[in-house]
Amino acid sequence: MNAIIDVVPQAISLAAFARVRNPTIFSKAVSTVIGVNGEPGLDFVPASLECLNASLQTCCAELEQDFISTWTLLAAVLSTPTFSVDLTGVYTVVQEIEVEVADCCAQLTQDFQETWTMIDQLGSDQNVTLSILATFVGPCDPIFITTQTVITEPGVYCLGVSLNVPGGVPITINSDDVVLNTNGFSLSGSRGISIGNGFTNIHITGGGSIQNTTNEGIYVAPAATVVRIDHLYFNLCGGDAIRFDDQNQGCIVSNVALRQLGGAGVHAIAAKDMLIDSISVEDCVTLGTAVGVFLDSGPNNNVKVSNLFIANCTGDRFFGVHGFNADNCLVQNVVMLGCHSTNGDVQGVLFDLSNNVVFKDIFIDTLQTPVGQSNAIAFFDCANSEAVNCVVKNLNSQISTGFRLLRIQSGSDIRISNCFAKNVRGLFQAVGMNVEQVPEVLIEDCYIEAIDGSAVVSNSPATTVQRVLARELAYDGFFGTVGAPGMVVNECLSYGATLIGFEMNTGSFAVTNCIALQNGTNYSGSITNIYPIGSSTLAGYNISA
């Protein structure tokens, strides 16, 4: 045992990476071999070897302790004359420990040998390695910008001062392969930054701010692609904070804060393969239409909007996220609080003329307008789309809807699942979930409470509602009109509807396994109440149509 441990210090100055199996150490090794200014460096080698040495000593020390404990046990047994025991098992354990020691040390010795092999290989290939890595490294020093600039050459540029260019654009990028580091400084002008038509591979970052612009904060011209904008702050932009003007592909906006805007936070026209992530939009007031994220005109395709926070925004009309002609899109992890319209509609997340859209994990609290409509989650003319795990509450307008599905020209096959609507108030109309001429809708596993109107209303064929709980309703719990043939309501509860718990005025329907409790009238419209409990207005359990 001691002989094995004594070998370890002799090897400390020889190994390079400790165990190559550890990717962190391997990565550190590669970076350190490059050294400063490309010079080789192996200063970390002794420290890495010490880690390996410590591991070896710990392993062997534990096994040695096993030996000591075992022989202590044997000594105790042998010193007791009156105690007789078969020691065959004990000796077997000792032999197994001895094998473990040999295996452990043999493995560690092999690690040393493999490490030496790697050192030799690195030594012989060092020049090749440096040459390969050099192909991945850009210019070592950035080009500093201290005045209004038009960038026409690839490179890394760094803002050296704050720039204010009244009526002009501080920085214009007319080149591919540009990195612009705002370096914590601010840009002001008619725009902060403008990217020219058709350029690609541009990255704008650096913790700076774009403020007090008369138009957009950052303008991305048509057909510019692979543009990344991150870690920036926008404030008091007269137009959109960030505008992708047409057919921009492969772009990313992330980790930006947007405040007091005159337009949209992120406005993209006919975008493709875009990610908008980790955005906050706050305290925006505009006389026109304000939008947190706007996917405009179309066709937009494969856009993901995630981790979006919108709060305290007001406009003549307001949308949290609005997608138009936007297919294959995901809107996820959105929080929207306290947004208002002063002269029109206020919408939470609404998509028009779109297919294969998913709304997921969305929380909306307080949408208000004195003169228009409020729709928290809405699909207009959409198909093959769904809203999952969404919560909406505290809507107040002339016509308020928690979840609205509307078909004007086309659209079908929508699913609402695991969603919650509460405190939906409307001067003229309020509905928790409203299906308007959209066939093949599934609403399941939802909870609806405190609605000034009805919980679920459908005038659409083949609507299925299952496992939905509705309570405290000013009108009906579940209402199917004459336009909803084939409507199915199954395993649902209506509690405390002022008018009717379940009302079907459509020609064909199925209401099964439902419970009505303390509604004005529990069942209406030829629904069979198989097991009435108490009076007709107290409760009833329905098991067949």
Coordinates of all heavy atoms in Angstrom, one line a residue, residues 409-451:
Q409 N -63.3 33.5 -42.0 CA -63.1 33.0 -43.4 C -62.8 31.5 -43.3 O -63.4 30.7 -44.0 CB -62.0 33.7 -44.1 CG -62.2 35.2 -44.3 CD -61.0 35.8 -45.0 OE1 -60.1 35.2 -45.5 NE2 -61.0 37.2 -44.9
S410 N -61.9 31.1 -42.4 CA -61.5 29.7 -42.3 C -61.0 29.5 -40.9 O -60.8 30.4 -40.1 CB -60.4 29.3 -43.3 OG -59.2 30.1 -43.1
G411 N -60.7 28.2 -40.6 CA -60.2 27.9 -39.3 C -61.0 26.8 -38.6 O -62.2 26.8 -38.6
S412 N -60.2 25.9 -38.0 CA -60.8 24.8 -37.3 C -59.8 24.0 -36.5 O -58.6 24.3 -36.6 CB -61.5 23.8 -38.2 OG -60.6 23.2 -39.1
D413 N -60.3 23.1 -35.7 CA -59.4 22.2 -34.9 C -58.5 23.0 -33.9 O -57.3 23.1 -34.0 CB -58.5 21.4 -35.8 CG -57.9 20.2 -35.1 OD1 -58.2 20.0 -33.9 OD2 -57.0 19.6 -35.7
I414 N -59.2 23.5 -32.9 CA -58.5 24.3 -31.8 C -58.7 23.6 -30.5 O -59.8 23.0 -30.3 CB -59.1 25.7 -31.7 CG1 -59.1 26.4 -33.1 CG2 -58.3 26.5 -30.7 CD1 -57.7 26.7 -33.6
R415 N -57.7 23.6 -29.7 CA -57.8 22.9 -28.4 C -57.4 23.9 -27.3 O -56.4 24.6 -27.4 CB -56.8 21.7 -28.3 CG -56.7 21.1 -27.0 CD -55.8 19.8 -27.1 NE -55.4 19.3 -25.8 CZ -54.2 19.3 -25.3 NH1 -53.3 19.9 -25.9 NH2 -54.0 18.8 -24.1
I416 N -58.3 23.9 -26.2 CA -58.0 24.7 -25.0 C -57.9 23.7 -23.9 O -58.9 23.0 -23.6 CB -59.2 25.7 -24.8 CG1 -59.5 26.6 -26.0 CG2 -58.8 26.6 -23.6 CD1 -58.3 27.5 -26.4
S417 N -56.8 23.7 -23.2 CA -56.6 22.6 -22.2 C -55.9 23.2 -21.0 O -54.9 24.0 -21.1 CB -55.7 21.5 -22.8 OG -55.4 20.5 -21.9
N418 N -56.3 22.8 -19.8 CA -55.7 23.2 -18.6 C -55.6 24.7 -18.4 O -54.6 25.2 -18.1 CB -54.3 22.5 -18.4 CG -54.3 21.0 -18.3 OD1 -55.0 20.5 -17.5 ND2 -53.6 20.4 -19.2
C419 N -56.7 25.3 -18.7 CA -56.7 26.8 -18.6 C -57.7 27.3 -17.6 O -58.6 26.5 -17.1 CB -57.1 27.4 -20.0 SG -55.8 27.1 -21.2
F420 N -57.6 28.6 -17.2 CA -58.3 29.1 -16.1 C -58.8 30.5 -16.5 O -58.0 31.3 -17.0 CB -57.4 29.2 -14.9 CG -57.9 29.9 -13.6 CD1 -58.6 29.1 -12.7 CD2 -57.8 31.2 -13.4 CE1 -59.1 29.7 -11.5 CE2 -58.3 31.8 -12.3 CZ -58.9 31.1 -11.4
A421 N -60.0 30.9 -16.2 CA -60.5 32.2 -16.5 C -61.3 32.7 -15.2 O -62.2 31.9 -14.7 CB -61.4 32.2 -17.7
K422 N -61.1 33.9 -14.8 CA -61.7 34.4 -13.6 C -61.9 35.9 -13.7 O -61.1 36.6 -14.2 CB -60.9 34.0 -12.3 CG -61.6 34.4 -11.0 CD -60.7 34.0 -9.8 CE -61.4 34.4 -8.5 NZ -60.6 34.0 -7.3
N423 N -63.1 36.3 -13.1 CA -63.4 37.8 -13.0 C -63.4 38.4 -14.4 O -62.6 39.3 -14.7 CB -62.4 38.5 -12.1 CG -62.5 38.1 -10.7 OD1 -63.6 37.7 -10.2 ND2 -61.5 38.2 -9.9
V424 N -64.2 37.9 -15.3 CA -64.4 38.5 -16.6 C -65.7 39.3 -16.6 O -66.8 38.8 -16.4 CB -64.5 37.4 -17.7 CG1 -64.7 38.0 -19.0 CG2 -63.2 36.5 -17.7
R425 N -65.5 40.6 -16.7 CA -66.6 41.6 -16.5 C -66.8 42.3 -17.8 O -65.9 42.7 -18.5 CB -66.3 42.6 -15.4 CG -65.8 42.0 -14.1 CD -66.9 41.1 -13.5 NE -66.4 40.5 -12.2 CZ -67.1 39.6 -11.6 NH1 -68.2 39.0 -12.1 NH2 -66.6 39.1 -10.4
G426 N -68.1 42.4 -18.2 CA -68.4 43.2 -19.4 C -69.7 44.0 -19.3 O -70.7 43.5 -18.7
L427 N -69.7 45.2 -19.8 CA -70.9 46.0 -19.7 C -72.0 45.4 -20.5 O -73.2 45.5 -20.0 CB -70.5 47.4 -20.2 CG -71.7 48.5 -20.1 CD1 -72.1 48.7 -18.7 CD2 -71.2 49.8 -20.8
F428 N -71.7 44.9 -21.7 CA -72.7 44.4 -22.5 C -72.7 42.8 -22.6 O -73.7 42.2 -22.8 CB -72.7 45.0 -23.9 CG -72.8 46.4 -24.0 CD1 -71.8 47.2 -24.6 CD2 -73.9 47.1 -23.3 CE1 -72.0 48.6 -24.6 CE2 -74.0 48.5 -23.4 CZ -73.0 49.2 -24.0
Q429 N -71.4 42.3 -22.5 CA -71.3 40.8 -22.7 C -70.0 40.4 -22.0 O -69.0 41.1 -22.1 CB -71.3 40.5 -24.2 CG -71.1 39.0 -24.4 CD -71.1 38.6 -25.9 OE1 -72.0 38.9 -26.6 NE2 -70.0 38.0 -26.4
A430 N -70.0 39.2 -21.4 CA -68.8 38.6 -20.8 C -69.0 37.1 -20.9 O -70.0 36.5 -20.6 CB -68.6 39.0 -19.4
V431 N -67.9 36.5 -21.4 CA -67.9 35.0 -21.6 C -66.5 34.5 -21.2 O -65.5 35.1 -21.5 CB -68.2 34.6 -23.1 CG1 -68.2 33.1 -23.2 CG2 -69.5 35.2 -23.5
G432 N -66.5 33.4 -20.5 CA -65.2 32.8 -20.1 C -64.5 32.2 -21.3 O -63.4 32.5 -21.6
M433 N -65.2 31.3 -22.1 CA -64.7 30.8 -23.3 C -65.8 30.8 -24.4 O -66.8 30.2 -24.2 CB -64.2 29.3 -23.1 CG -63.1 29.3 -22.0 SD -62.5 27.6 -21.7 CE -61.1 28.0 -20.5
N434 N -65.5 31.4 -25.5 CA -66.5 31.6 -26.5 C -66.0 31.1 -27.9 O -65.0 31.4 -28.4 CB -66.8 33.1 -26.7 CG -68.1 33.4 -27.4 OD1 -68.8 32.5 -27.8 ND2 -68.4 34.7 -27.6
V435 N -66.8 30.1 -28.4 CA -66.5 29.5 -29.7 C -67.5 30.0 -30.7 O -68.7 29.7 -30.7 CB -66.6 27.9 -29.6 CG1 -66.1 27.3 -30.9 CG2 -65.7 27.4 -28.4
E436 N -66.9 30.7 -31.7 CA -67.8 31.4 -32.7 C -67.5 30.9 -34.1 O -66.5 31.3 -34.7 CB -67.6 32.9 -32.6 CG -67.9 33.5 -31.3 CD -67.6 35.0 -31.2 OE1 -68.2 35.8 -31.9 OE2 -66.7 35.3 -30.4
Q437 N -68.3 29.9 -34.6 CA -68.2 29.4 -36.0 C -66.8 28.7 -36.2 O -66.3 28.8 -37.3 CB -68.4 30.5 -37.0 CG -69.8 31.1 -36.9 CD -70.9 30.1 -37.1 OE1 -70.8 29.2 -37.8 NE2 -72.0 30.3 -36.3
V438 N -66.3 28.1 -35.2 CA -65.0 27.4 -35.4 C -65.3 25.9 -35.1 O -65.5 25.5 -34.0 CB -63.9 27.9 -34.4 CG1 -62.6 27.1 -34.6 CG2 -63.7 29.4 -34.5
P439 N -65.3 25.1 -36.2 CA -65.7 23.7 -36.0 C -64.5 22.9 -35.3 O -63.4 23.3 -35.4 CB -65.9 23.2 -37.4 CG -65.2 24.1 -38.3 CD -65.2 25.4 -37.6
E440 N -64.9 21.8 -34.7 CA -63.9 20.9 -34.2 C -63.0 21.5 -33.1 O -61.8 21.5 -33.2 CB -63.1 20.3 -35.3 CG -63.9 19.5 -36.3 CD -63.0 19.0 -37.5 OE1 -61.8 19.0 -37.3 OE2 -63.6 18.6 -38.5
V441 N -63.7 22.0 -32.1 CA -63.0 22.6 -31.0 C -63.1 21.7 -29.8 O -64.1 21.1 -29.5 CB -63.5 24.0 -30.6 CG1 -63.0 24.5 -29.3 CG2 -63.2 25.0 -31.7
L442 N -62.0 21.5 -29.0 CA -61.9 20.8 -27.8 C -61.6 21.7 -26.7 O -60.5 22.3 -26.7 CB -60.9 19.6 -27.9 CG -60.7 18.8 -26.6 CD1 -61.9 18.2 -26.1 CD2 -59.5 17.8 -26.8
I443 N -62.4 21.7 -25.6 CA -62.1 22.4 -24.4 C -62.1 21.4 -23.3 O -63.2 20.8 -23.0 CB -63.2 23.5 -24.1 CG1 -63.2 24.6 -25.3 CG2 -62.9 24.3 -22.8 CD1 -64.3 25.6 -25.2
E444 N -61.0 21.3 -22.6 CA -60.9 20.2 -21.6 C -60.1 20.7 -20.4 O -59.2 21.5 -20.5 CB -60.3 19.0 -22.2 CG -58.9 19.1 -22.7 CD -58.4 17.8 -23.2 OE1 -59.1 16.8 -23.1 OE2 -57.3 17.8 -23.8
D445 N -60.5 20.1 -19.2 CA -59.7 20.3 -18.0 C -59.5 21.8 -17.6 O -58.4 22.2 -17.4 CB -58.3 19.6 -18.1 CG -58.5 18.1 -18.4 OD1 -59.3 17.5 -17.7 OD2 -57.9 17.6 -19.3
C446 N -60.6 22.5 -17.6 CA -60.5 24.0 -17.4 C -61.4 24.4 -16.2 O -62.3 23.6 -15.8 CB -60.9 24.8 -18.6 SG -59.9 24.5 -20.1
Y447 N -61.1 25.6 -15.6 CA -61.8 26.1 -14.5 C -62.2 27.5 -14.8 O -61.4 28.3 -15.2 CB -61.0 26.0 -13.2 CG -61.7 26.6 -12.0 CD1 -62.5 25.7 -11.3 CD2 -61.4 27.8 -11.5 CE1 -63.2 26.2 -10.1 CE2 -62.1 28.3 -10.4 CZ -63.0 27.5 -9.7 OH -63.6 28.0 -8.6
I448 N -63.5 27.8 -14.6 CA -64.0 29.2 -15.0 C -64.8 29.7 -13.8 O -65.8 29.0 -13.3 CB -64.9 29.1 -16.3 CG1 -64.1 28.4 -17.4 CG2 -65.4 30.4 -16.7 CD1 -64.9 28.1 -18.6
E449 N -64.6 30.9 -13.4 CA -65.2 31.4 -12.2 C -65.5 32.9 -12.3 O -64.7 33.7 -12.9 CB -64.4 31.2 -11.0 CG -64.9 31.7 -9.7 CD -64.0 31.4 -8.5 OE1 -63.0 30.8 -8.6 OE2 -64.4 31.9 -7.4
A450 N -66.6 33.3 -11.8 CA -66.9 34.8 -11.6 C -67.0 35.5 -13.0 O -66.2 36.3 -13.3 CB -66.0 35.5 -10.7
I451 N -67.9 35.1 -13.8 CA -68.1 35.6 -15.1 C -69.5 36.4 -15.2 O -70.5 35.9 -14.7 CB -68.2 34.5 -16.2 CG1 -67.0 33.5 -16.0 CG2 -68.2 35.1 -17.6 CD1 -65.6 34.1 -16.2

